Amino acid sequence: LSKTLTVKVYNAPSKVYLQPSSMNLGEGMTGKLTVSFPKSTYSLYSFEVSDPTVVSVGADGSLKALKPGEATVTVVTLKGAK
C-alpha cells in the first residue's frame, strides 16, 4: 500500500490586506476581520493588538470589544510583512 501527497508552495506575499479597514463596536459586541493576499501568494499570519484591554482578537480574526477606548489591530505575516 502507498499514499501520495501533492504539495503546492506559494510565493511569500509582498502585501497583506485586512478588511474591514476600520470598525466601530459597542462594549461586548463582536466583529470579524478577513485577511487576504495578492494572487498566487500565501503566508501564515497572526494579529497584534495595541491595547488588549480594549479589544481581543482571536487567531481566526474574531474581535470582541472589552471596554470603551481605541486599539489598533495589525496583521503580521510569517515573514514580517504588515
Side-chain angles (χ1 to χ4, degrees):
L1 293 173
S2 69
K3 181 70 177 162
T4 61
L5 168 71
T6 301
V7 176
K8 185 166 185 171
V9 178
Y10 291 92
N11 292 317
S14 58
K15 293 182 180 181
V16 60
Y17 304 104
L18 182 62
Q19 293 294 324
S21 59
S22 66
M23 187 179 296
N24 296 312
L25 297 172
E27 189 172 358
M29 292 178 68
T30 60
K32 179 76 171 167
L33 299 173
T34 302
V35 176
S36 61
F37 303 101
K39 186 177 179 177
S40 299
T41 66
Y42 182 76
S43 178
L44 296 176
Y45 58 87
S46 61
F47 295 99
E48 295 177 354
V49 181
S50 63
D51 189 345
T53 67
V54 172
V55 66
S56 66
V57 60
D60 64 350
S62 58
L63 297 172
K64 181 161 187 183
L66 303 174
K67 71 175 190 180
E70 187 172 301
T72 300
V73 178
T74 304
V75 62
V76 181
T77 66
L78 186 64
K79 297 245 181 197
K82 294 183 180 186

